[in-house]
Amino acid sequence: MDIRLALMTGTPIPVPSCQLTINQPTIKEIGMIGEKEFFTGAQCLCIEKSMYIQDENVLSNTSNFQIFMTIMSERQEVEKKNNVLAVLKLLFPNHKVMFTPRAVLLKCNEENIMIDENNFEDLQEVFQQIFCLSAAGQQAFNPANDAAKKIADKLMRARQRVAAQKQAEGGDGSVFAQYLSVLSVGLHFPLQQVAELTMYQMYDLMERYSLYTN
């Protein structure tokens, strides 16, 4: 399914295989849970097993969902779990989100929808596009053979370490706040109007505006 127009217009995105519709959170909604917390939760939801497992035999018998659930079940990762819950509530505002030992349960009225090994990666494909992680994540490398894949994995692990270090140091300020300011002044839009943009819309406008000014 081509969701590029849905991403640009900010409409909810259906995922038929999961019987779910994903809400694209606005920057204003993200501000309710905090930018750092949002990115932590988003990165957990878009977790890629190859960044954690190097052994090819183990890799082939492990899924992204298994790695995700392992992290969610660890006591020392309670903060990450809370961030994931906060992001899921933005993505599925009409559902109550609960974790079970083997699945994530989304409950709306009398309807229960299970996110598990069978449909998690379908959701991940959409999450990556909503969170604008596709270009900067695993798709940034397209290894042609095993040797190239090892190099790509090494580079991606290095990226993760740098990102984790920046996160631990509190980052370099709010990226979203900077983008809001630039777009509001540059495009002569009221700040509150710009705050209603989604991530995809904001990043696209920033790219177009940068090309225009250059």
Side-chain angles (χ1 to χ4, degrees):
M1 180 179 174
D2 185 350
I3 64 171
R4 287 174 294 180
L5 183 58
L7 288 167
M8 195 61 193
T9 56
T11 61
I13 300 174
V15 185
S17 63
C18 304
Q19 298 181 327
L20 285 168
T21 299
I22 304 175
N23 173 64
Q24 296 188 66
T26 64
I27 304 303
K28 187 175 182 178
E29 291 172 329
I30 292 170
M32 294 172 61
I33 67 172
E35 188 172 326
K36 178 182 175 183
E37 290 76 10
F38 173 79
F39 279 118
T40 299
Q43 288 168 357
C44 286
L45 287 168
C46 295
I47 199 164
E48 171 54 46
K49 62 182 181 179
S50 63
M51 297 300 102
Y52 293 82
I53 303 172
Q54 298 182 50
D55 187 297
E56 291 295 334
N57 293 326
V58 177
L59 188 64
S60 61
N61 294 308
T62 306
S63 67
N64 288 348
F65 185 72
Q66 289 173 329
I67 299 296
F68 172 75
M69 289 300 287
T70 298
I71 294 174
M72 294 298 98
S73 64
E74 293 178 354
R75 290 185 179 181
Q76 63 269 32
E77 299 294 0
V78 172
E79 186 176 350
K80 282 186 180 178
K81 183 177 180 179
N82 289 336
N83 291 335
V84 167
L85 280 168
V87 173
L88 285 173
K89 288 176 182 176
L90 291 181
L91 298 171
F92 306 105
N94 297 322
H95 292 77
K96 182 178 180 180
V97 185
M98 301 170 58
F99 278 89
T100 71
R102 296 186 179 180
V104 180
L105 179 65
L106 298 179
K107 186 173 183 178
C108 181
N109 297 324
E110 299 301 319
E111 183 183 28
N112 293 329
I113 296 175
M114 305 286 285
I115 299 176
D116 56 21
E117 204 146 356
N118 298 315
N119 55 20
F120 183 66
E121 293 190 16
D122 289 341
L123 284 174
Q124 280 191 307
E125 290 181 12
V126 183
F127 289 162
Q128 287 168 357
Q129 295 182 71
I130 290 175
F131 301 147
C132 303
L133 296 176
S134 297
Q138 58 269 25
Q139 294 181 13
F141 299 108
N142 186 21
N145 52 45
D146 289 343
K149 183 179 184 303
K150 289 180 180 178
I151 295 172
D153 287 347
K154 185 176 181 181
L155 288 169
M156 286 300 295
R157 284 193 292 275
R159 279 188 178 188
Q160 282 200 327
R161 286 195 296 271
V162 171
Q165 183 178 354
K166 285 186 177 181
Q167 190 179 72
E169 294 171 352
D172 299 320
S174 171
V175 173
F176 287 158
Q178 293 177 26
Y179 284 5
L180 284 174
S181 179
V182 170
L183 290 176
S184 179
V185 173
L187 302 180
H188 307 289
F189 286 170
L191 182 61
Q192 291 302 319
Q193 184 178 345
V194 182
E196 296 295 338
L197 295 171
T198 65
M199 275 187 70
Y200 186 93
Q201 292 170 331
M202 173 173 279
Y203 284 2
D204 183 85
L205 285 175
M206 276 299 301
E207 182 180 357
R208 299 286 180 177
Y209 181 65
S210 297
L211 289 171
Y212 173 75
T213 55
N214 289 337

PDB file of all heavy atoms in Angstrom, residues 7 46 124-142 156 159 199-200 203 207:
ATOM      1  N   LEU A   7       0.683  10.206   4.404  1.00  0.00           N
ATOM      2  CA  LEU A   7       1.713  10.806   5.249  1.00  0.00           C
ATOM      3  C   LEU A   7       1.748  12.318   5.062  1.00  0.00           C
ATOM      4  O   LEU A   7       1.865  13.076   6.028  1.00  0.00           O
ATOM      5  CB  LEU A   7       3.087  10.204   4.917  1.00  0.00           C
ATOM      6  CG  LEU A   7       3.329   8.768   5.369  1.00  0.00           C
ATOM      7  CD1 LEU A   7       4.572   8.209   4.693  1.00  0.00           C
ATOM      8  CD2 LEU A   7       3.481   8.688   6.883  1.00  0.00           C
ATOM      9  N   CYS A  46      10.397   0.550  16.578  1.00  0.00           N
ATOM     10  CA  CYS A  46      11.005   0.271  15.273  1.00  0.00           C
ATOM     11  C   CYS A  46      12.282  -0.560  15.407  1.00  0.00           C
ATOM     12  O   CYS A  46      13.148  -0.537  14.526  1.00  0.00           O
ATOM     13  CB  CYS A  46      11.299   1.580  14.549  1.00  0.00           C
ATOM     14  SG  CYS A  46       9.813   2.514  14.128  1.00  0.00           S
ATOM     15  N   GLN A 124       5.473  -2.150  12.073  1.00  0.00           N
ATOM     16  CA  GLN A 124       6.781  -1.493  12.058  1.00  0.00           C
ATOM     17  C   GLN A 124       7.035  -0.757  10.748  1.00  0.00           C
ATOM     18  O   GLN A 124       7.616   0.334  10.750  1.00  0.00           O
ATOM     19  CB  GLN A 124       7.893  -2.512  12.291  1.00  0.00           C
ATOM     20  CG  GLN A 124       8.101  -2.892  13.744  1.00  0.00           C
ATOM     21  CD  GLN A 124       9.381  -3.678  13.933  1.00  0.00           C
ATOM     22  OE1 GLN A 124       9.607  -4.680  13.261  1.00  0.00           O
ATOM     23  NE2 GLN A 124      10.215  -3.217  14.837  1.00  0.00           N
ATOM     24  N   GLU A 125       6.613  -1.355   9.631  1.00  0.00           N
ATOM     25  CA  GLU A 125       6.823  -0.717   8.331  1.00  0.00           C
ATOM     26  C   GLU A 125       6.147   0.651   8.270  1.00  0.00           C
ATOM     27  O   GLU A 125       6.698   1.613   7.713  1.00  0.00           O
ATOM     28  CB  GLU A 125       6.278  -1.616   7.218  1.00  0.00           C
ATOM     29  CG  GLU A 125       7.104  -2.884   6.994  1.00  0.00           C
ATOM     30  CD  GLU A 125       6.550  -3.727   5.864  1.00  0.00           C
ATOM     31  OE1 GLU A 125       5.681  -3.216   5.113  1.00  0.00           O
ATOM     32  OE2 GLU A 125       6.955  -4.885   5.722  1.00  0.00           O
ATOM     33  N   VAL A 126       4.967   0.739   8.854  1.00  0.00           N
ATOM     34  CA  VAL A 126       4.247   2.019   8.870  1.00  0.00           C
ATOM     35  C   VAL A 126       4.843   2.962   9.913  1.00  0.00           C
ATOM     36  O   VAL A 126       5.012   4.154   9.665  1.00  0.00           O
ATOM     37  CB  VAL A 126       2.742   1.804   9.137  1.00  0.00           C
ATOM     38  CG1 VAL A 126       1.994   3.137   9.083  1.00  0.00           C
ATOM     39  CG2 VAL A 126       2.151   0.820   8.133  1.00  0.00           C
ATOM     40  N   PHE A 127       5.175   2.416  11.086  1.00  0.00           N
ATOM     41  CA  PHE A 127       5.798   3.235  12.140  1.00  0.00           C
ATOM     42  C   PHE A 127       7.042   3.933  11.616  1.00  0.00           C
ATOM     43  O   PHE A 127       7.270   5.114  11.876  1.00  0.00           O
ATOM     44  CB  PHE A 127       6.183   2.366  13.336  1.00  0.00           C
ATOM     45  CG  PHE A 127       5.023   1.848  14.143  1.00  0.00           C
ATOM     46  CD1 PHE A 127       5.189   0.774  15.009  1.00  0.00           C
ATOM     47  CD2 PHE A 127       3.764   2.427  14.050  1.00  0.00           C
ATOM     48  CE1 PHE A 127       4.127   0.289  15.754  1.00  0.00           C
ATOM     49  CE2 PHE A 127       2.699   1.950  14.796  1.00  0.00           C
ATOM     50  CZ  PHE A 127       2.889   0.876  15.652  1.00  0.00           C
ATOM     51  N   GLN A 128       7.892   3.181  10.891  1.00  0.00           N
ATOM     52  CA  GLN A 128       9.144   3.744  10.398  1.00  0.00           C
ATOM     53  C   GLN A 128       8.904   4.944   9.501  1.00  0.00           C
ATOM     54  O   GLN A 128       9.678   5.912   9.516  1.00  0.00           O
ATOM     55  CB  GLN A 128       9.930   2.665   9.648  1.00  0.00           C
ATOM     56  CG  GLN A 128      10.546   1.619  10.563  1.00  0.00           C
ATOM     57  CD  GLN A 128      11.057   0.415   9.812  1.00  0.00           C
ATOM     58  OE1 GLN A 128      10.909   0.329   8.582  1.00  0.00           O
ATOM     59  NE2 GLN A 128      11.646  -0.533  10.514  1.00  0.00           N
ATOM     60  N   GLN A 129       7.831   4.902   8.721  1.00  0.00           N
ATOM     61  CA  GLN A 129       7.532   6.021   7.830  1.00  0.00           C
ATOM     62  C   GLN A 129       6.914   7.189   8.592  1.00  0.00           C
ATOM     63  O   GLN A 129       7.237   8.351   8.329  1.00  0.00           O
ATOM     64  CB  GLN A 129       6.602   5.549   6.706  1.00  0.00           C
ATOM     65  CG  GLN A 129       7.269   4.516   5.806  1.00  0.00           C
ATOM     66  CD  GLN A 129       6.366   4.090   4.668  1.00  0.00           C
ATOM     67  OE1 GLN A 129       6.107   4.860   3.735  1.00  0.00           O
ATOM     68  NE2 GLN A 129       5.873   2.867   4.726  1.00  0.00           N
ATOM     69  N   ILE A 130       6.045   6.888   9.541  1.00  0.00           N
ATOM     70  CA  ILE A 130       5.448   7.958  10.348  1.00  0.00           C
ATOM     71  C   ILE A 130       6.511   8.681  11.171  1.00  0.00           C
ATOM     72  O   ILE A 130       6.496   9.902  11.299  1.00  0.00           O
ATOM     73  CB  ILE A 130       4.363   7.377  11.281  1.00  0.00           C
ATOM     74  CG1 ILE A 130       3.147   6.934  10.464  1.00  0.00           C
ATOM     75  CG2 ILE A 130       3.935   8.406  12.335  1.00  0.00           C
ATOM     76  CD1 ILE A 130       2.075   6.238  11.285  1.00  0.00           C
ATOM     77  N   PHE A 131       7.469   7.896  11.723  1.00  0.00           N
ATOM     78  CA  PHE A 131       8.522   8.471  12.563  1.00  0.00           C
ATOM     79  C   PHE A 131       9.712   8.963  11.752  1.00  0.00           C
ATOM     80  O   PHE A 131      10.702   9.425  12.322  1.00  0.00           O
ATOM     81  CB  PHE A 131       9.022   7.432  13.570  1.00  0.00           C
ATOM     82  CG  PHE A 131       7.949   6.897  14.497  1.00  0.00           C
ATOM     83  CD1 PHE A 131       8.002   5.583  14.946  1.00  0.00           C
ATOM     84  CD2 PHE A 131       6.908   7.696  14.920  1.00  0.00           C
ATOM     85  CE1 PHE A 131       7.029   5.080  15.795  1.00  0.00           C
ATOM     86  CE2 PHE A 131       5.924   7.207  15.769  1.00  0.00           C
ATOM     87  CZ  PHE A 131       5.987   5.896  16.207  1.00  0.00           C
ATOM     88  N   CYS A 132       9.627   8.841  10.404  1.00  0.00           N
ATOM     89  CA  CYS A 132      10.709   9.298   9.511  1.00  0.00           C
ATOM     90  C   CYS A 132      12.028   8.613   9.847  1.00  0.00           C
ATOM     91  O   CYS A 132      13.095   9.246   9.851  1.00  0.00           O
ATOM     92  CB  CYS A 132      10.858  10.818   9.595  1.00  0.00           C
ATOM     93  SG  CYS A 132       9.351  11.726   9.216  1.00  0.00           S
ATOM     94  N   LEU A 133      11.965   7.319  10.137  1.00  0.00           N
ATOM     95  CA  LEU A 133      13.166   6.558  10.473  1.00  0.00           C
ATOM     96  C   LEU A 133      13.673   5.717   9.309  1.00  0.00           C
ATOM     97  O   LEU A 133      14.773   5.192   9.364  1.00  0.00           O
ATOM     98  CB  LEU A 133      12.892   5.630  11.666  1.00  0.00           C
ATOM     99  CG  LEU A 133      12.565   6.306  12.990  1.00  0.00           C
ATOM    100  CD1 LEU A 133      12.224   5.261  14.041  1.00  0.00           C
ATOM    101  CD2 LEU A 133      13.741   7.147  13.467  1.00  0.00           C
ATOM    102  N   SER A 134      12.886   5.583   8.258  1.00  0.00           N
ATOM    103  CA  SER A 134      13.258   4.693   7.161  1.00  0.00           C
ATOM    104  C   SER A 134      14.582   5.070   6.520  1.00  0.00           C
ATOM    105  O   SER A 134      15.464   4.248   6.343  1.00  0.00           O
ATOM    106  CB  SER A 134      12.156   4.685   6.097  1.00  0.00           C
ATOM    107  OG  SER A 134      10.964   4.185   6.631  1.00  0.00           O
ATOM    108  N   ALA A 135      14.731   6.357   6.178  1.00  0.00           N
ATOM    109  CA  ALA A 135      15.940   6.787   5.472  1.00  0.00           C
ATOM    110  C   ALA A 135      17.165   6.742   6.359  1.00  0.00           C
ATOM    111  O   ALA A 135      18.271   6.465   5.912  1.00  0.00           O
ATOM    112  CB  ALA A 135      15.751   8.193   4.915  1.00  0.00           C
ATOM    113  N   ALA A 136      16.977   7.004   7.658  1.00  0.00           N
ATOM    114  CA  ALA A 136      18.118   7.081   8.567  1.00  0.00           C
ATOM    115  C   ALA A 136      18.403   5.749   9.249  1.00  0.00           C
ATOM    116  O   ALA A 136      19.419   5.593   9.897  1.00  0.00           O
ATOM    117  CB  ALA A 136      17.853   8.124   9.646  1.00  0.00           C
ATOM    118  N   GLY A 137      17.501   4.770   9.070  1.00  0.00           N
ATOM    119  CA  GLY A 137      17.662   3.487   9.746  1.00  0.00           C
ATOM    120  C   GLY A 137      18.317   2.453   8.876  1.00  0.00           C
ATOM    121  O   GLY A 137      19.223   2.732   8.089  1.00  0.00           O
ATOM    122  N   GLN A 138      17.811   1.210   8.977  1.00  0.00           N
ATOM    123  CA  GLN A 138      18.461   0.106   8.289  1.00  0.00           C
ATOM    124  C   GLN A 138      18.405   0.231   6.777  1.00  0.00           C
ATOM    125  O   GLN A 138      19.228  -0.341   6.077  1.00  0.00           O
ATOM    126  CB  GLN A 138      17.840  -1.228   8.710  1.00  0.00           C
ATOM    127  CG  GLN A 138      16.359  -1.368   8.461  1.00  0.00           C
ATOM    128  CD  GLN A 138      15.546  -0.929   9.647  1.00  0.00           C
ATOM    129  OE1 GLN A 138      16.002  -0.112  10.456  1.00  0.00           O
ATOM    130  NE2 GLN A 138      14.347  -1.449   9.765  1.00  0.00           N
ATOM    131  N   GLN A 139      17.450   1.025   6.219  1.00  0.00           N
ATOM    132  CA  GLN A 139      17.376   1.172   4.783  1.00  0.00           C
ATOM    133  C   GLN A 139      18.462   2.084   4.240  1.00  0.00           C
ATOM    134  O   GLN A 139      18.634   2.212   3.039  1.00  0.00           O
ATOM    135  CB  GLN A 139      15.990   1.704   4.389  1.00  0.00           C
ATOM    136  CG  GLN A 139      14.869   0.716   4.685  1.00  0.00           C
ATOM    137  CD  GLN A 139      13.520   1.260   4.272  1.00  0.00           C
ATOM    138  OE1 GLN A 139      13.422   2.260   3.561  1.00  0.00           O
ATOM    139  NE2 GLN A 139      12.459   0.606   4.713  1.00  0.00           N
ATOM    140  N   ALA A 140      19.196   2.738   5.106  1.00  0.00           N
ATOM    141  CA  ALA A 140      20.273   3.613   4.646  1.00  0.00           C
ATOM    142  C   ALA A 140      21.412   2.806   4.049  1.00  0.00           C
ATOM    143  O   ALA A 140      22.213   3.315   3.278  1.00  0.00           O
ATOM    144  CB  ALA A 140      20.794   4.456   5.810  1.00  0.00           C
ATOM    145  N   PHE A 141      21.478   1.506   4.418  1.00  0.00           N
ATOM    146  CA  PHE A 141      22.507   0.620   3.885  1.00  0.00           C
ATOM    147  C   PHE A 141      21.842  -0.494   3.098  1.00  0.00           C
ATOM    148  O   PHE A 141      20.834  -1.048   3.522  1.00  0.00           O
ATOM    149  CB  PHE A 141      23.337   0.017   5.020  1.00  0.00           C
ATOM    150  CG  PHE A 141      24.062   1.051   5.853  1.00  0.00           C
ATOM    151  CD1 PHE A 141      23.638   1.338   7.135  1.00  0.00           C
ATOM    152  CD2 PHE A 141      25.147   1.741   5.352  1.00  0.00           C
ATOM    153  CE1 PHE A 141      24.280   2.277   7.906  1.00  0.00           C
ATOM    154  CE2 PHE A 141      25.798   2.690   6.110  1.00  0.00           C
ATOM    155  CZ  PHE A 141      25.361   2.961   7.393  1.00  0.00           C
ATOM    156  N   ASN A 142      22.416  -0.829   1.955  1.00  0.00           N
ATOM    157  CA  ASN A 142      21.895  -1.921   1.155  1.00  0.00           C
ATOM    158  C   ASN A 142      23.050  -2.855   0.822  1.00  0.00           C
ATOM    159  O   ASN A 142      23.562  -2.863  -0.291  1.00  0.00           O
ATOM    160  CB  ASN A 142      21.242  -1.375  -0.120  1.00  0.00           C
ATOM    161  CG  ASN A 142      20.565  -2.466  -0.918  1.00  0.00           C
ATOM    162  OD1 ASN A 142      20.235  -3.523  -0.386  1.00  0.00           O
ATOM    163  ND2 ASN A 142      20.379  -2.226  -2.207  1.00  0.00           N
ATOM    164  N   MET A 156      25.938   0.701  11.728  1.00  0.00           N
ATOM    165  CA  MET A 156      24.664   0.963  12.379  1.00  0.00           C
ATOM    166  C   MET A 156      24.783   0.852  13.891  1.00  0.00           C
ATOM    167  O   MET A 156      24.184   1.628  14.633  1.00  0.00           O
ATOM    168  CB  MET A 156      23.596  -0.009  11.871  1.00  0.00           C
ATOM    169  CG  MET A 156      23.105   0.294  10.463  1.00  0.00           C
ATOM    170  SD  MET A 156      22.370   1.939  10.327  1.00  0.00           S
ATOM    171  CE  MET A 156      20.948   1.753  11.380  1.00  0.00           C
ATOM    172  N   ARG A 159      26.237   3.992  15.091  1.00  0.00           N
ATOM    173  CA  ARG A 159      25.221   5.038  15.125  1.00  0.00           C
ATOM    174  C   ARG A 159      24.381   4.946  16.397  1.00  0.00           C
ATOM    175  O   ARG A 159      24.042   5.957  17.004  1.00  0.00           O
ATOM    176  CB  ARG A 159      24.285   4.899  13.916  1.00  0.00           C
ATOM    177  CG  ARG A 159      24.820   5.473  12.613  1.00  0.00           C
ATOM    178  CD  ARG A 159      23.719   5.443  11.582  1.00  0.00           C
ATOM    179  NE  ARG A 159      24.156   6.027  10.319  1.00  0.00           N
ATOM    180  CZ  ARG A 159      23.342   6.259   9.301  1.00  0.00           C
ATOM    181  NH1 ARG A 159      22.067   5.955   9.401  1.00  0.00           N
ATOM    182  NH2 ARG A 159      23.790   6.776   8.178  1.00  0.00           N
ATOM    183  N   MET A 199       5.112  14.755  12.122  1.00  0.00           N
ATOM    184  CA  MET A 199       6.554  14.673  11.903  1.00  0.00           C
ATOM    185  C   MET A 199       6.890  14.687  10.417  1.00  0.00           C
ATOM    186  O   MET A 199       7.786  15.398   9.965  1.00  0.00           O
ATOM    187  CB  MET A 199       7.123  13.384  12.527  1.00  0.00           C
ATOM    188  CG  MET A 199       7.458  13.457  13.982  1.00  0.00           C
ATOM    189  SD  MET A 199       8.309  11.952  14.526  1.00  0.00           S
ATOM    190  CE  MET A 199       9.884  12.131  13.690  1.00  0.00           C
ATOM    191  N   TYR A 200       6.181  13.859   9.654  1.00  0.00           N
ATOM    192  CA  TYR A 200       6.457  13.746   8.222  1.00  0.00           C
ATOM    193  C   TYR A 200       6.264  15.092   7.533  1.00  0.00           C
ATOM    194  O   TYR A 200       7.099  15.514   6.731  1.00  0.00           O
ATOM    195  CB  TYR A 200       5.542  12.691   7.595  1.00  0.00           C
ATOM    196  CG  TYR A 200       5.851  12.396   6.149  1.00  0.00           C
ATOM    197  CD1 TYR A 200       6.711  11.362   5.801  1.00  0.00           C
ATOM    198  CD2 TYR A 200       5.293  13.161   5.118  1.00  0.00           C
ATOM    199  CE1 TYR A 200       7.010  11.093   4.477  1.00  0.00           C
ATOM    200  CE2 TYR A 200       5.577  12.896   3.792  1.00  0.00           C
ATOM    201  CZ  TYR A 200       6.438  11.862   3.471  1.00  0.00           C
ATOM    202  OH  TYR A 200       6.735  11.610   2.155  1.00  0.00           O
ATOM    203  N   TYR A 203       9.154  17.548   8.598  1.00  0.00           N
ATOM    204  CA  TYR A 203      10.428  17.234   7.960  1.00  0.00           C
ATOM    205  C   TYR A 203      10.397  17.553   6.474  1.00  0.00           C
ATOM    206  O   TYR A 203      11.383  18.041   5.907  1.00  0.00           O
ATOM    207  CB  TYR A 203      10.785  15.771   8.176  1.00  0.00           C
ATOM    208  CG  TYR A 203      11.293  15.446   9.560  1.00  0.00           C
ATOM    209  CD1 TYR A 203      11.378  16.414  10.558  1.00  0.00           C
ATOM    210  CD2 TYR A 203      11.694  14.156   9.901  1.00  0.00           C
ATOM    211  CE1 TYR A 203      11.839  16.125  11.818  1.00  0.00           C
ATOM    212  CE2 TYR A 203      12.160  13.851  11.177  1.00  0.00           C
ATOM    213  CZ  TYR A 203      12.228  14.845  12.122  1.00  0.00           C
ATOM    214  OH  TYR A 203      12.695  14.550  13.381  1.00  0.00           O
ATOM    215  N   GLU A 207      12.744  20.347   4.599  1.00  0.00           N
ATOM    216  CA  GLU A 207      13.598  20.012   3.460  1.00  0.00           C
ATOM    217  C   GLU A 207      13.301  20.933   2.281  1.00  0.00           C
ATOM    218  O   GLU A 207      14.219  21.462   1.642  1.00  0.00           O
ATOM    219  CB  GLU A 207      13.375  18.548   3.061  1.00  0.00           C
ATOM    220  CG  GLU A 207      14.258  18.109   1.902  1.00  0.00           C
ATOM    221  CD  GLU A 207      14.027  16.659   1.511  1.00  0.00           C
ATOM    222  OE1 GLU A 207      13.218  15.980   2.170  1.00  0.00           O
ATOM    223  OE2 GLU A 207      14.655  16.216   0.531  1.00  0.00           O
TER     224      GLU A 207
END
